[in-house]
Amino acid sequence: MKYYLVTGCSTGIGNGVVARLINEGGHVFGSVRKEQDGDKCREQFGAHFTPLLFDVTDREAIEASLETVKGVIKEQPLAGLVNNAGLAVNAPLCHVPIEDVRYQFEVNVIGVLNMIQVFLPLLGADKSFTGKPGRIVNMSSVAGRIAYPLMGPYSASKHALEA
């Protein structure tokens, strides 16, 4: 069995990614910020889904979830990490509180780096694991290449992710 980790899986694209990976025979660890979202996903996806309760901006909670994942996969590497969690702050830059811009970067950029740094050993960087190394998929946006009006903070964060 292949094991995957998907962030931001309670709705939207992340939820669809989880469904596809499970339909293809995988087991998915999915990050959610609320316990009720984890319960909903567990009910939706069944035994091949393990919820992980954390926000991608909370490094300590991410590190704690690493032990949960290790306990299930044992010596196998993760087949993939899908960094899907994100948010969009849309408004003219002159009106966006700087705290909102910082939080957008914290989620869309630093959160991705948190996930990669914590889970890279389970993706095969730790040579004690056997098998094919896993892949990292960072969900970006066309807004990372083209900045549309009123989407400055979002485009900037996705451009940073592209870089």
Side-chain angles (χ1 to χ4, degrees):
M1 175 172 291
K2 290 185 178 181
Y3 295 94
Y4 302 91
L5 195 159
V6 179
T7 64
C9 68
S10 60
T11 61
I13 293 170
N15 192 270
V17 169
V18 171
R20 173 116 188 224
L21 292 171
I22 289 174
N23 285 341
E24 292 179 0
H27 183 99
V28 177
F29 299 92
S31 82
V32 294
R33 291 179 299 152
K34 300 174 192 164
E35 194 169 338
Q36 60 265 33
D37 289 337
D39 295 340
K40 181 190 85 170
C41 288
R42 188 180 302 130
E43 184 176 310
Q44 177 183 0
F45 297 120
H48 292 287
F49 178 82
T50 303
L52 301 173
L53 188 61
F54 63 78
D55 186 303
V56 296
T57 64
D58 185 346
R59 179 71 176 235
E60 287 181 10
I62 295 168
E63 289 171 349
S65 73
L66 176 68
E67 296 309 313
T68 300
V69 174
K70 282 181 178 179
V72 174
I73 68 173
K74 307 292 184 221
E75 297 298 316
Q76 286 186 277
L78 283 172
L81 166 62
V82 180
N83 286 306
N84 173 70
L87 65 95
V89 173
N90 298 322
L93 281 171
C94 62
H95 297 297
V96 178
I98 198 69
E99 296 80 24
D100 292 353
V101 176
R102 279 194 181 104
Y103 185 66
Q104 175 135 334
F105 272 81
E106 193 69 29
V107 172
N108 292 358
V109 182
I110 304 302
V112 170
L113 186 55
N114 277 335
M115 294 300 298
I116 291 170
Q117 287 181 345
V118 170
F119 284 97
L120 196 59
L122 298 186
L123 289 158
D126 181 337
K127 296 302 178 189
S128 70
F129 289 101
T130 59
K132 185 177 177 183
R135 293 181 180 233
I136 299 170
V137 176
N138 295 325
M139 300 300 278
S140 188
S141 169
V142 69
R145 296 182 180 263
I146 302 168
Y148 296 102
L150 307 178
M151 294 184 66
Y154 180 71
S155 291
S157 71
K158 289 301 184 176
H159 186 77
L161 184 60
E162 292 286 330

